């Protein structure tokens, strides 16, 4: 069994002494002070004096090696033993060749595919624990933030697309209603669409139970029939009243004539009776 050793560096390859000193101070505060993490480079040593890591290059593999703890681009910080691997040196070299093909230098990404991600993958294939969480915490946090931002942007784009689609549907609906109310009478649907009379009648019929919506021509016919029936009713009432008024004096005059005749008849009979008594 062979030890697997993790070597950790402060990332001080910015080309600016001020920036490099700032990174060192950040790592001291966040790692040494509160144990949160920092900005680190890592490499794995197994079988030999070299360490293996991953970095950016335009062509070829990004996997490279250098003497352990002596990477000239960074400031060495510390090392720790992660565990022991059961694999032989032959198998370890085979794993390194596989990783060299799978990790081209052009695929390097500071947040999602950096040297710490490579060391995690290497340790997993060696069968030992991965790096402590604080080694790559800043990159993982940044990668998570990027994923959240990208997901949020995608959701916003989807919401915008849905809003635009809904707006187009509403616009087509409004255009259809407007053209239906101002257009010609090519079809029954066009004549009824947007007509105030039709809409008023439809709402009125909604209030009446069992009623069905009517067209504008049917409404006009119904109104004409009602007016005609009203006129006929008024005319019949007027004629009936006039007939009763004309019959009342005629009936009264016939009764008066009958009384006058009876009275005259009685008057004519009285002299006749008186004459008959005189004769006796």
């Amino acid at each position: 069994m062979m030890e697997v050793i993790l070597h950790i560096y402060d990332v001080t390859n910015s080309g600016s002494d001020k920036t490099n000193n700032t990174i060192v101070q950040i790592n001291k505060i966040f790692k040494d002070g509160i144990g949160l993490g920092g900005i680190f480079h890592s490499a794995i040593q197994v079988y030999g004096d070299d360490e293996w890591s991953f970095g950016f290059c335009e062509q070829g593999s990004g996997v490279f090696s250098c003497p352990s703890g002596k990477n000239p681009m960074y400031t060495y910080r510390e090392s720790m033993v992660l565990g022991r691997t059961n694999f032989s040196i032959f198998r370890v070299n085979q794993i390194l060749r596989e990783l060299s093909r799978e990790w081209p230098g052009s695929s390097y990404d500071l947040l999602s595919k950096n040297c710490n991600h490579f060391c995690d993958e290497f340790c997993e294939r060696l069968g030992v624990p991965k790096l402590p969480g604080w080694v790559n915490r800043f990159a993982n946090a940044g990668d998570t933030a990027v994923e959240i931002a990208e997901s949020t942007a995608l959701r916003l784009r989807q919401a915008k697309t849905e809003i635009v689609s809904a707006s187009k549907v509403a616009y087509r609906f409004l255009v259809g209603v407007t053209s239906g109310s101002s257009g010609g009478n090519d079809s029954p649907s066009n004549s009824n669409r947007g007509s105030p009379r039709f809409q008023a009648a439809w709402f009125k019929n909604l209030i009446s139970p069992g009623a069905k919506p009517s067209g504008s021509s049917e409404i006009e016919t119904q109104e004409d029939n009602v007016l005609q029936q009203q006129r006929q009713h008024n005319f019949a009432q007027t004629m009936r009243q006039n007939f009763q008024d004309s019959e009342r004096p005629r009936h009264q005059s016939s009764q008066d004539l009958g009384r006058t005749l009876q009275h005259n008849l009685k008057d004519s009979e009285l002299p006749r009776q008186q004459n008959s008594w005189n004769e006796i």
Side-chain angles (χ1 to χ4, degrees), residues 170-229:
Y171 174 76
R172 286 196 294 267
F173 173 77
L174 293 175
V175 169
V177 170
T178 305
S179 61
S181 60
S182 61
N185 297 327
D186 295 338
S187 64
S189 60
N190 289 335
S191 63
N192 291 336
R193 187 185 302 166
S195 174
R197 180 178 296 177
F198 173 77
Q199 293 175 357
W202 190 80
F203 284 112
K204 182 178 180 181
N205 290 330
L206 280 179
I207 300 174
S208 303
K212 296 180 179 180
S214 302
S216 58
S217 59
E218 295 178 359
I219 295 172
E220 293 176 356
T221 303
Q222 292 175 1
E223 292 176 353
D224 293 340
N225 292 336
V226 170
L227 291 175
Q228 186 175 0
Q229 292 176 1

Side-chain angles (χ1 to χ4, degrees), residues 97-115:
R97 286 194 296 268
E98 293 172 355
L99 292 173
S100 296
R101 291 192 298 268
E102 296 171 6
W103 291 71
S106 58
S107 66
Y108 179 90
D109 185 87
L110 180 62
L111 299 179
S112 62
K113 197 171 184 180
N114 59 28
C115 58

